[in-house]
């Protein structure tokens, strides 16, 4: 067979193949050289010009002393950024059901606090069913702020004669983002400097772009609703498995509250993988991550993502303290289950953890040791008690049990 191929390959064809190979090697070499030099700037410009951007934070108050608060919003939406249904084959992989399910609830809400002094970052998960004051609506589940504002804005536009679907979707989502951000900001009592929004497909594409995300489970789980079917122990999940992992709530002792811990574990695994996989220094991996971001991510306009990505390298390896904000118990509102929360207690907790503090004077005696002591105290994991117990206002943390590699083990 090899002799036959040599006889039937025309000389011109061989030259053409050599030329194509030469061009490929040349292009690859140039790409690597550019990456080594100014390629990061090119990628940043490409990402900044292609990723979805929003003016939802225009004119908003900013954090002081170099601190950065980022709100991560995960939408339970089966639609793309233009409001079009995700393809059926994608929905099948997501195990997410019909594109009519889910709406625009913000089922994942995590406030990531990155201190300006370089001390460890902290991430606070807000349970999606917390019953709070929603901007422009009244009291309801915090996850609903986005969808309620989106629907209201679209109704107003239709009444004004707007019929373009993409315009309705675009302006409706902007109203949703503003309402969700304002609701979280009022609930926590701190500024929000940046935000990132992604839909269900975003978890899938992010995990695939990273080549899988490491997680750890305390025990095996199987759930037909989310598609979760995992053994106990450390493991690496692909895109489809990652989405099932973060969506599972059936079969978990504390339902949505345990799912919140899953989301924290996914974020910890993803940030660890970013660094350990060499994503920031591998052009192919970085390009794949950029392409995934273009599909599924929306951020606030003007966010210097390149600087934050460099900073994000320091967020991996178990350096982020994850906390789920406490609830006082459970209740019902218009036939729906809700989490009863103490707004003032939440604000005090957040103020104690990340509230604005003037940087200590270098000349002040004992300033460094006092700061270190405070950090050590705040990082110490406390006992975990059921969230429905009014006697236990302490938040739950995932930082106590790990797989030995900085990844929290969860139920």
């Amino acid at each position: 067979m090899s002799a036959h191929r040599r006889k039937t390959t025309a000389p011109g064809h061989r030259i053409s193949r050599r030329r194509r190979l030469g061009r490929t090697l040349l292009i690859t070499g140039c790409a690597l050289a550019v990456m080594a030099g100014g390629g990061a700037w090119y990628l940043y410009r490409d990402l900044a010009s292609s990723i979805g951007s929003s003016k939802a934070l225009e004119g908003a108050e900013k954090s002081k002393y170099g601190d950065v608060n980022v709100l991560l919003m995960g939408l339970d939406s089966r639609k793309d950024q233009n409001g079009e249904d995700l393809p059926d084959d994608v929905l099948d992989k997501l195990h997410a059901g019909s594109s009519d399910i889910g709406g625009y609830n913000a089922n994942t809400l995590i406030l990531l606090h990155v201190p300006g002094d370089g001390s460890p970052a902290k991430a606070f998960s807000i349970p999606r069913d917390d019953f709070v004051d929603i901007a422009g609506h009244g009291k309801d589940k915090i996850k609903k702020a986005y969808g309620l504002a989106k629907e209201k804005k679209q109704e107003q536009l239709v009444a004004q004669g707007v019929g373009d679907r993409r315009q309705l979707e675009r302006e409706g989502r902007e109203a949703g983002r503003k309402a969700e951000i304002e609701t979280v900001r009022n609930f926590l009592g701190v500024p929000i400097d940046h935000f990132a929004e992604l839909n269900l497909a975003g978890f899938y594409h992010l995990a695939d772009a990273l080549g899988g995300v490491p997680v750890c489970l305390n025990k095996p789980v199987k759930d037909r609703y989310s598609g979760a079917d995992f053994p106990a122990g450390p493991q690496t999940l692909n895109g489809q498995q990652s989405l099932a992992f973060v969506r599972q709530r059936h079969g978990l002792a504390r339902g949505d509250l345990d799912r919140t811990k899953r989301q924290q574990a996914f974020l910890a695994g993803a940030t660890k993988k970013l660094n350990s996989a060499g994503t920031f220094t591998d052009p192919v991996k970085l390009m794949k991550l950029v392409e995934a971001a273009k599909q599924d991510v929306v951020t606030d306009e003007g966010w210097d993502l390149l600087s934050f990505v460099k900073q994000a390298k320091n967020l991996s390896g178990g350096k982020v303290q994850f906390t789920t904000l406490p609830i006082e118990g459970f209740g019902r509102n218009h036939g729906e289950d809700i989490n009863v929360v103490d707004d003032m207690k939440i604000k005090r907790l957040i103020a104690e953890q990340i509230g604005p503090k003037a940087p200590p004077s270098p000349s002040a005696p004992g300033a460094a040791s006092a700061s270190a002591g405070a950090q050590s105290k705040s990082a110490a994991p406390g006992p975990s008690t059921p969230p429905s117990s009014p006697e236990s206002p302490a938040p739950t943390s995932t930082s106590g049990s790990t797989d030995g590699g900085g990844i929290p083990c969860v139920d």
Side-chain angles (χ1 to χ4, degrees), residues 149-162 168 175:
K150 177 180 182 293
E151 183 179 11
K152 182 178 180 180
K153 180 64 175 180
Q154 288 179 325
E155 288 175 352
Q156 291 173 348
L157 291 172
V158 169
Q160 295 168 11
V162 176
L168 291 171

Side-chain angles (χ1 to χ4, degrees), residues 75-78 96 98-107 143 200:
L75 297 186
D76 190 26
S77 173
R78 280 74 165 164
S98 165
S99 59
D100 295 327
I101 301 173
Y104 288 88
N105 288 332
N107 278 352
K143 68 178 183 181
L200 283 179

Side-chain angles (χ1 to χ4, degrees), residues 233-353:
Q235 53 205 287
T236 298
L237 307 183
N238 62 26
Q240 186 171 349
Q241 293 170 325
S242 293
L243 186 63
F245 176 80
V246 298
R247 290 185 65 237
Q248 184 185 0
R249 61 188 175 94
H250 296 282
L252 301 181
R254 304 196 312 165
D256 271 337
L257 297 180
D258 279 338
R259 177 160 71 170
T260 298
K261 288 191 174 184
R262 293 282 191 91
Q263 295 165 358
Q264 296 169 358
F266 175 87
L267 186 58
T271 53
K272 181 178 177 64
K273 189 66 178 287
L274 275 171
N275 198 24
S276 63
T279 305
F280 295 105
T281 55
D282 185 321
V284 176
K285 290 179 180 178
L286 189 56
M287 283 297 294
K288 193 172 182 181
L289 191 63
V290 167
E291 289 302 315
K294 289 179 185 179
Q295 292 182 71
D296 308 303
V297 179
V298 175
T299 68
D300 54 289
E301 190 175 69
W303 187 5
D304 187 351
L305 288 173
L306 181 60
S307 296
F308 189 77
V309 162
K310 290 178 180 177
Q311 194 175 26
K313 293 175 68 175
N314 298 321
L315 302 182
S316 58
K319 296 179 181 178
V320 182
Q321 177 187 343
F322 289 90
T323 300
T324 301
L325 294 180
I327 68 172
E328 301 302 301
F330 303 101
R332 302 277 290 177
N333 179 62
H334 297 302
E336 294 183 332
D337 293 327
I338 60 170
N339 298 331
V340 179
V341 294
D342 184 331
D343 297 47
M344 294 310 299
K345 184 184 293 184
I346 294 294
K347 286 182 174 64
R348 286 196 300 270
L349 184 151
I350 293 294
E352 290 168 1
Q353 292 286 319

Side-chain angles (χ1 to χ4, degrees), residues 36-340:
W41 172 242
Y42 168 79
L43 280 177
Y44 170 66
R45 288 185 61 190
D46 180 46
L47 180 62
S49 64
S50 304
I51 198 171
S53 63
S54 164
K55 295 183 179 181
L57 280 173
E58 198 170 57
E61 178 190 359
K62 299 295 182 182
S63 297
K64 299 179 180 178
Y65 312 119
D67 291 357
V68 178
N69 291 332
V70 181
L71 179 62
L72 307 176
M73 296 192 297
L75 297 186
D76 190 26
S77 173
R78 280 74 165 164
K79 297 182 183 293
D80 64 17
Q81 293 182 24
N82 294 316
E84 302 293 338
D85 294 345
L86 294 173
D88 289 340
D89 61 325
V90 173
L91 288 173
D92 288 342
K93 290 178 182 177
L94 301 184
H95 206 277
S98 165
S99 59
D100 295 327
I101 301 173
Y104 288 88
N105 288 332
N107 278 352
T108 301
L109 290 168
I110 298 176
L111 183 77
L112 176 64
H113 174 75
V114 184
D117 61 5
S119 56
K122 297 178 181 180
F124 300 89
S125 289
I126 307 169
R128 65 175 189 166
D129 290 339
D130 282 5
F131 195 61
V132 304
D133 287 314
I134 291 182
H137 175 74
K139 299 206 74 167
D140 213 324
K141 295 182 181 182
I142 196 166
K143 68 178 183 181
K144 289 186 175 183
Y146 192 114
L148 289 169
K150 177 180 182 293
E151 183 179 11
K152 182 178 180 180
K153 180 64 175 180
Q154 288 179 325
E155 288 175 352
Q156 291 173 348
L157 291 172
V158 169
Q160 295 168 11
V162 176
D164 182 82
R165 286 181 57 194
R166 291 203 170 191
Q167 181 183 350
L168 291 171
E169 183 72 15
R170 183 176 63 254
E171 296 193 32
R173 285 200 178 196
E174 276 291 85
R177 291 169 191 133
K178 289 180 181 179
E180 193 69 58
I181 291 168
E182 184 177 351
T183 298
V184 172
R185 183 168 52 222
N186 292 340
F187 181 47
L188 302 185
V190 294
I192 294 176
D193 303 285
H194 300 293
F195 81 91
E197 167 195 310
L198 72 162
N199 60 12
L200 283 179
F203 287 97
Y204 173 85
H205 291 134
L206 174 61
D208 270 5
L210 291 173
V213 171
V215 301
C216 177
L217 281 168
N218 290 321
K219 55 188 177 183
V221 296
K222 189 169 185 177
D223 171 41
R224 66 183 180 89
Y225 295 99
S226 64
D229 187 1
F230 310 120
Q235 53 205 287
T236 298
L237 307 183
N238 62 26
Q240 186 171 349
Q241 293 170 325
S242 293
L243 186 63
F245 176 80
V246 298
R247 290 185 65 237
Q248 184 185 0
R249 61 188 175 94
H250 296 282
L252 301 181
R254 304 196 312 165
D256 271 337
L257 297 180
D258 279 338
R259 177 160 71 170
T260 298
K261 288 191 174 184
R262 293 282 191 91
Q263 295 165 358
Q264 296 169 358
F266 175 87
L267 186 58
T271 53
K272 181 178 177 64
K273 189 66 178 287
L274 275 171
N275 198 24
S276 63
T279 305
F280 295 105
T281 55
D282 185 321
V284 176
K285 290 179 180 178
L286 189 56
M287 283 297 294
K288 193 172 182 181
L289 191 63
V290 167
E291 289 302 315
K294 289 179 185 179
Q295 292 182 71
D296 308 303
V297 179
V298 175
T299 68
D300 54 289
E301 190 175 69
W303 187 5
D304 187 351
L305 288 173
L306 181 60
S307 296
F308 189 77
V309 162
K310 290 178 180 177
Q311 194 175 26
K313 293 175 68 175
N314 298 321
L315 302 182
S316 58
K319 296 179 181 178
V320 182
Q321 177 187 343
F322 289 90
T323 300
T324 301
L325 294 180
I327 68 172
E328 301 302 301
F330 303 101
R332 302 277 290 177
N333 179 62
H334 297 302
E336 294 183 332
D337 293 327
I338 60 170
N339 298 331
V340 179

